[in-house]
Amino acid sequence: MIEIQPNMMQWTAEATRVREATDVAKMALGLVFASAFQVPILTQFALYRICKHPECFDQLRAEACESRGLRFENNNREMPYLDSFVKESARLGPGPIQAVGRVVSVPRKAMSQYISPEGVIVPAGNWVAVPQLPLMRDAGIWPKGGGFDGFRFVQGDGRSDSRLTHPSLEFPFWGSIRHAW
């Protein structure tokens, strides 16, 4: 007997509760096309924030000028202010997304009953997800979580260990944080 391995189509059917093959295919294609927009949308977030926070412009420009001639692979390590600015822009998102207020990610179906240490029960078959906006603004996680601080992730000495591309329990911007555990 051939064992069927989980794949994107199966995940899409389970995650969306859609069962018709054509509907599953449409949903899967929609996910593929939607993922192509992450970089342009993130760029929009950053442009929106630079317009709203011109006080960050001089530091970002100086860092960009100092980084001329660096190889592309090095820029993530060598440009902590830009990385911090973009990560903070992503954390808060632009104004229109704040109005929606219902952005969730990392949906998961409970395969068996789960009881949290606080006593919250998630019955088998129920769905849970990460509420992005409340998490990204939580003052218990982020000092002054509702406010924009373009250089929040840069230490006083100009270094940064936190990167936009590094998921964490507090920053699941890219989706699943399984490897952040």
Side-chain angles (χ1 to χ4, degrees):
M1 183 169 181
I2 298 174
E3 181 180 343
I4 298 174
Q5 296 294 321
N7 59 46
M8 182 179 177
M9 299 304 275
Q10 181 180 353
W11 178 87
T12 301
E14 291 174 7
T16 62
R17 298 183 183 174
V18 173
R19 295 293 174 247
E20 293 295 321
T22 55
D23 292 336
V24 172
K26 287 177 188 176
M27 292 295 292
L29 281 172
L31 292 170
V32 169
F33 291 138
S35 67
F37 289 105
Q38 283 186 341
V39 172
I41 287 174
L42 190 53
T43 302
Q44 175 196 357
F45 290 6
L47 289 173
Y48 173 85
R49 290 293 173 185
I50 195 70
C51 291
K52 296 281 287 180
H53 297 279
E55 69 275 9
C56 298
F57 186 76
D58 289 339
Q59 178 65 49
L60 292 170
R61 183 176 174 80
E63 184 179 67
C65 289
E66 290 171 13
S67 299
R68 279 192 182 149
L70 289 178
R71 293 176 48 90
F72 181 73
E73 304 88 49
N74 294 335
N75 287 350
N76 193 350
R77 282 194 317 264
E78 303 301 329
M79 299 182 76
Y81 289 96
L82 177 61
D83 189 83
S84 177
F85 187 88
V86 174
K87 184 172 182 175
E88 183 73 348
S89 298
R91 185 182 73 80
L92 290 178
I97 286 188
Q98 293 173 7
V100 174
R102 294 189 191 105
V103 178
V104 295
S105 67
V106 197
R108 296 292 184 263
K109 183 178 181 180
M111 303 311 285
S112 61
Q113 179 175 300
Y114 172 78
I115 302 174
S116 76
E118 296 81 18
V120 176
I121 299 172
V122 179
N126 278 20
W127 289 84
V128 294
V130 175
Q132 287 283 348
L133 296 177
L135 177 68
M136 296 295 193
R137 289 166 178 74
D138 187 333
I141 298 171
W142 311 101
K144 299 179 184 173
F148 183 83
D149 177 2
F151 306 133
R152 175 184 302 272
F153 302 102
V154 179
Q155 285 92 24
D157 62 359
R159 291 183 316 101
S160 175
D161 295 325
S162 175
R163 291 289 182 224
L164 170 68
T165 54
H166 298 168
S168 67
L169 295 173
E170 299 81 19
F171 194 83
F173 184 78
W174 301 108
S176 178
I177 57 173
R178 183 175 301 180
H179 60 285
W181 294 82

